[in-house]
Amino acid sequence: MISKKDRRNKIKTRIRGKISGTAARPRMTVFRSNKQIYVQVIDDLQGKTLVSGSSKGIEEGTKSEIAAKVGEAIAQKAIAAGITEVVFDRNGYLFHGRVKSLADAARKGGLKF
């Protein structure tokens, strides 16, 4: 029997084989823990994180509402850093719930992916 963690890692490896971030279109990756959600905009060619954000310090609302706030915040930070287009990396998670609300809020904030 394959565990949830192994299944996610298998999906993650398959996704990362197809996408990578460049300076023109960096990779926006999401990590979801039980309590928090984290997002980074990464240039894989240089191996540097350009912009990052998390839900730490945001306490009001449901987990999906908090993820939407993080998505809006990362969009503002990325646009301020001169990034308008990204490649979305869901990191092996289903595009549903908190991951989807973060992505939709980032799109609403002005990022294109």
Side-chain angles (χ1 to χ4, degrees):
M1 185 95 173
I2 192 166
S3 69
K4 264 189 186 180
K5 187 176 181 181
D6 291 337
R7 179 184 169 278
R8 189 179 138 253
N9 283 333
K10 188 175 177 182
I11 295 168
K12 181 179 173 178
T13 304
R14 187 170 56 236
I15 292 169
R16 287 288 288 121
K18 296 176 185 175
I19 65 169
S20 67
T22 62
R25 279 188 79 176
R27 177 172 57 98
M28 184 168 97
T29 185
V30 176
F31 176 74
R32 184 187 64 151
S33 73
N34 286 336
K35 293 185 179 182
Q36 308 290 340
I37 192 159
Y38 306 88
V39 62
Q40 292 179 319
V41 178
I42 302 168
D43 180 2
D44 288 320
L45 297 178
Q46 294 182 352
K48 291 188 178 182
T49 299
L50 305 174
V51 181
S52 66
S54 73
S55 61
K56 289 191 174 192
I58 304 173
E59 300 171 1
E60 299 171 5
T62 63
K63 289 181 182 179
S64 292
E65 291 170 350
I66 291 171
K69 290 178 186 176
V70 173
E72 291 172 5
I74 199 72
Q76 290 175 355
K77 286 182 180 180
I79 290 172
I83 301 165
T84 56
E85 289 189 16
V86 296
V87 178
F88 189 70
D89 179 9
R90 58 189 174 89
N91 211 6
Y93 301 110
L94 295 176
F95 191 77
H96 179 73
R98 291 191 277 165
V99 176
K100 184 176 184 204
S101 64
L102 185 139
D104 290 342
R107 278 190 189 112
K108 185 179 165 189
L111 285 181
K112 295 177 185 172
F113 53 94

